[in-house]
Amino acid sequence: VTAPRMAAVLGLGLIGGSIARGLAAKGVSVAGFDVDPDCANDALQCGVLGSVLDPTLSGLENAEWVIIAVPVTSALELLGRVSRLATQATLITDTCSTKRSIDAEARRLGLASRFVGSHPMTGSEKSGWAASRADLFEGATTYLCAASDSHGAEALEAAENLWSLLGSRTQRITAFNHDRKAAATSHLPHVLSTTLAMTLEKLGIGPEELGPGGRDMVRIAKGDEVLWKTILLDNADLVAEAAETLFAELMLFRTALAERDAGFVQNQLARGREWSSRSR
Amino acid sequence: VTAPRMAAVLGLGLIGGSIARGLAAKGVSVAGFDVDPDCANDALQCGVLGSVLDPTLSGLENAEWVIIAVPVTSALELLGRVSRLATQATLITDTCSTKRSIDAEARRLGLASRFVGSHPMTGSEKSGWAASRADLFEGATTYLCAASDSHGAEALEAAENLWSLLGSRTQRITAFNHDRKAAATSHLPHVLSTTLAMTLEKLGIGPEELGPGGRDMVRIAKGDEVLWKTILLDNADLVAEAAETLFAELMLFRTALAERDAGFVQNQLARGREWSSRSR
């Protein structure tokens, strides 16, 4: 695995902070930026960053890899500036949970041969620099969405090197297929967890009244609402598509309970158990 | 805490097996029964049981405490036999996840002064004697539903002793209030977890494609379908009541996503986060 001399990480939250820590641990000089100067200074003082970028991002021209680790709406804005400034970069990537919009923006900016979208599957209800750690990506899968099938071989190889350095497996996927899958596996579960929390609040129940199973079901609702709002809105059409399938299943379950249809209820529970228990 | 000389545990699954182990560890002689004679023999051979009861339950007349730890439909059948046989028992209790039906049956059988329903909040996707352990109830809350407010003081004290011996806190509640609360905190989450698993199956997604958050959301769907069928059908009216609130919240969320209503989406996410993050 070839490591670059210098990489830039824009955004030092849970994901960006963990990338900076992981790369620094592998001897890469990391230049970092965060809207919160305290985070960047803390990262500098603890030796994770070699340098702090100012808001003009001057110095970005020296970075071989540029990693944008901010919520998708900010990432879309930032990508235009990065495309102008990062003249030496062989890889520009992001870590957003949705991939269609940033992929389209990279193509529009003429970055197809240098941009590869990344999505490490390490979601957590924790967030921020304080929660970051060098081993966050160890053993996790990272999806890679190359913006060009024909011209991005070098960038794709660099993206694979980046995630390999961080201990993550990579898997290629198109941006559309990624977003459809993420809608079902991550975004819809988040909507459900939030909706369950809201329902329990309306019913006058406190979280301390939950058993272990209920607690698991509302854990991801603890995620940052600004981040999750941008994710859900960016992928709203495909979240809605996945939700329709869920609504249909939920209505069937409701009818079966109302009619005390023991056979249907047991069959649904058995299929859910079988699916959930499939080896991983 | 006063321990009896002898207790009987009917059903040696996760809950009954753990009660038998916990009581044996406190020096109580435990007589046990299970429809699977291998479980009962295993419990006898490893010293958890002092004796195995045969299917006629002969010997039950010597038990001071009788604990029925089988799914609710079987518990309702068993309670009639127990009421005839357990002539010396000062406490008859069950461990079912729903409390109205068994409470009504106990009253119908004239057991009000000796019956107290129990529900330890230790649900797990694991089940069976093999998963049982003496410390399962340590630190957990157990709800107690006394069948009589005026004539059951001795039985209630015995039930509090039982759960105290097993390391569990107790909390009194009426059977109706218990079932309404359990519908929201446990049964509805189970329906959601199962429905999410079914939805993902329909969308062609495997459990290995889930991140940590998605995995949490389908964990409880791994529960035994026969047990959960009996729970959901026994409490169907109150599960449906809780589900109506959830459906209404879900529809609002769907509309907000369709209309790209960022304010509403963020507000729901923030309220869900705040509720879920309340200290426990």
Side-chain angles (χ1 to χ4, degrees), chain A residues 21-216:
Chain A
R21 287 180 190 278
L23 290 178
K26 297 291 179 180
V28 178
S29 171
V30 181
F33 172 75
D34 197 275
V35 287
D36 178 356
D38 288 346
C39 283
N41 287 329
D42 191 47
L44 185 70
Q45 267 158 38
C46 73
V48 169
L49 295 186
S51 64
V52 171
L53 298 169
D54 68 31
T56 69
L57 301 184
S58 116
L60 200 64
E61 62 275 13
N62 301 316
E64 293 168 58
W65 293 352
V66 179
I67 298 117
I68 301 173
V70 297
V72 64
T73 39
S74 313
L76 291 170
E77 287 172 25
L78 204 48
L79 191 60
R81 293 170 58 204
V82 168
S83 77
R84 288 191 301 279
L85 295 167
T87 47
Q88 305 293 317
T90 53
L91 169 68
I92 299 170
T93 189
D94 74 304
T95 61
C96 297
S97 300
T98 50
K99 301 266 62 98
R100 282 179 297 167
S101 53
I102 193 107
D103 182 81
E105 183 65 3
R107 291 169 195 258
R108 198 185 67 77
L109 292 165
L111 289 176
S113 67
R114 296 198 290 151
F115 182 84
V116 175
S118 303
H119 181 203
M121 296 294 280
T122 52
S124 170
E125 77 280 13
K126 299 195 182 82
S127 64
W129 164 252
S132 67
R133 52 199 177 83
D135 66 350
L136 183 69
F137 309 105
E138 293 276 353
T141 295
T142 297
Y143 286 106
L144 296 183
C145 305
S148 169
D149 287 335
S150 47
H151 304 301
E154 198 188 345
L156 186 63
E157 194 181 325
E160 281 165 353
N161 281 346
L162 163 63
W163 293 105
S164 174
L165 275 174
L166 298 170
S168 174
R169 287 183 302 273
T170 56
Q171 194 171 322
R172 285 195 64 185
I173 190 168
T174 67
F176 180 82
N177 284 343
H178 170 276
D179 285 4
R180 191 159 56 181
K181 196 185 288 283
T185 59
S186 169
H187 309 164
L188 182 62
H190 198 91
V191 170
L192 276 188
S193 185
T194 295
T195 305
L196 179 61
M198 295 291 306
T199 299
L200 295 173
E201 185 193 44
K202 288 226 163 165
L203 296 174
I205 288 165
E208 72 285 354
E209 298 183 74
L210 295 175
R215 279 202 295 278
D216 273 0

Side-chain angles (χ1 to χ4, degrees), chain B residues 14 20 26 32 38 40 43 47-48 55 79 95 145 149 187-188 197 199 219 221 228 241 253 269:
Chain B
L14 172 67
K26 298 290 181 181
D38 288 346
V48 167
L79 191 59
T95 61
C145 305
D149 288 335
H187 309 164
L188 182 62
T199 300
R219 186 182 66 78
W228 276 98
E241 188 183 288
F253 212 121
L269 291 166

Side-chain angles (χ1 to χ4, degrees), chain A residues 181 209 216 219 273, chain B residues 181 209 216 219 225 273:
Chain A
K181 196 185 288 283
E209 298 183 74
D216 273 0
R219 186 181 67 78
R273 177 185 57 70
Chain B
K181 195 184 288 284
E209 298 184 73
D216 274 359
R219 186 182 66 78
E225 64 265 22
R273 177 186 57 70

